[in-house]
């Protein structure tokens, strides 16, 4: 009878040990899942920051190129206006004076 009770106590102890191991495995697994989740999140955010940085650089480069083209176009217009003014200023002054006087 004592042998039977001893076996039952041993089986109960083994069952508790297995339960504790299962609980610990669950805790370890959940910890690993959380760590992996955080790593994925961190990696995603880092890649997103890098994409934003690259997109910002690309947009800035494009804006700089467009600005350079606009400045070049404006310089050509100003040059044309200055040349036209230099060629016709005396004529225009005479015409304005004649119209004003009368």
């Amino acid at each position: 009878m004592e042998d039977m009770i001893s076996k039952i106590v041993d089986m109960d102890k083994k069952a508790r040990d297995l339960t504790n191991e299962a609980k610990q495995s669950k805790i370890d697994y959940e910890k690993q899942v959380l760590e992996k989740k955080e790593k994925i999140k961190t990696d995603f955010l880092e890649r997103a920051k890098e994409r934003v940085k690259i997109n910002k650089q690309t947009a800035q480069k494009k804006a700089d190129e467009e600005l350079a083209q606009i400045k070049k176009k404006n310089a050509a217009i100003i040059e044309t206006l200055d040349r036209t003014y230099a060629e016709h200023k005396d004529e225009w002054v005479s015409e304005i004076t004649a119209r004003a006087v009368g």
Side-chain angles (χ1 to χ4, degrees), residues 4-32:
M4 186 82 118
I5 294 173
S6 177
K7 286 182 182 180
I8 292 173
V9 170
D10 286 343
M11 288 181 3
D12 182 59
K13 183 180 181 311
K14 287 179 184 178
R16 280 186 276 130
D17 289 344
L18 286 173
T19 302
N20 288 337
E21 286 178 25
K23 286 179 183 179
Q24 188 60 46
S25 289
K26 180 182 176 190
I27 291 169
D28 293 344
Y29 179 74
E30 288 173 348
K31 183 179 176 183
Q32 289 173 358

Side-chain angles (χ1 to χ4, degrees), residues 84-97:
T84 304
Y85 171 75
E87 292 172 2
H88 298 286
K89 71 178 176 183
D90 293 334
E91 176 187 333
W92 291 342
V93 169
S94 296
E95 187 174 329
I96 291 170
T97 304

Side-chain angles (χ1 to χ4, degrees), residues 50-94:
E50 187 62 29
R51 280 194 305 266
V52 167
K53 181 179 173 184
I54 290 169
N55 289 344
K56 182 178 177 183
Q57 291 171 346
T58 302
Q60 185 63 48
K61 183 178 178 183
K62 184 177 179 182
D64 290 344
E65 289 171 357
E66 288 177 5
L67 180 61
Q69 289 175 351
I70 290 169
K71 285 182 177 182
K72 185 178 178 181
K73 183 179 176 182
N74 286 346
I77 292 170
I78 290 170
E79 183 181 324
T80 301
L81 289 174
D82 286 344
R83 189 174 37 238
T84 304
Y85 171 75
E87 292 172 2
H88 298 286
K89 71 178 176 183
D90 293 334
E91 176 187 333
W92 291 342
V93 169
S94 296

